[in-house]
Amino acid sequence: MNLHRTTGQPDWHSVPKKKRNRFQKVAAANGLVTPGNLITLIGFGLVLYGLYAILMQDYWLGLVLLTIGRLLDIADGWVADKTGTKSAIGEFMDAVIDKVGTLLTIIVFFAVAVADIWLLTILVLPQIIIPLVILYKRSRNVQTHPTRIGKISMAVAWASLFGVLMVQALEAYWPSPFAVAVYGLMIVSALLGSYALYEYTRMKTRKTK
């Protein structure tokens, strides 16, 4: 939960220049190139490639690529923490790319009609509005952080999206019971996402200096 979270200042700011590790030295030179940010971008690229595979109706390849991409999204915060290169930019990039990847995935799912439109709609709405709220607060120079329920809602959302892909890939072998469970998971994700949105709009934030 706290792997990508910062206090507003990059990790390397609190380390004397002579004691910074190689990753912190590179990060201090530009503020953007860090191991965590690179992993975030690679993961996003794999998600995009996976979505292309889904558009081509290669559901198994799409599922594999999306899974790896999402695992990298989990790994980026861990790497940022271990290398001492967490920053507000990395935290923001991770949160926005997370939401954009989810939104694009659902758009592709709409395009290939892998699930009922109303289910996809209630799943995506909170995930669209949350980054807009974050961007608004950032424009007001207000510091925000990912919430625990927000992370959980995103994890459940992706679990349900993976489930939808599995339904399509296994349609000829394992039809309705599995599909019912996946649709139930999508509804749970929508409820969690709505509560996460409520938290973002009501959370107490501290203005950055």
Side-chain angles (χ1 to χ4, degrees), residues 5 9 69 78 165 169:
R5 177 171 289 191
Q9 292 293 333
W78 182 84
L165 273 185

Side-chain angles (χ1 to χ4, degrees), residues 162-185:
F162 287 147
V164 167
L165 273 185
M166 289 292 291
V167 168
Q168 288 297 313
L170 297 172
E171 188 175 14
Y173 312 101
W174 196 9
S176 56
F178 186 52
V180 171
V182 169
Y183 290 159
L185 192 61

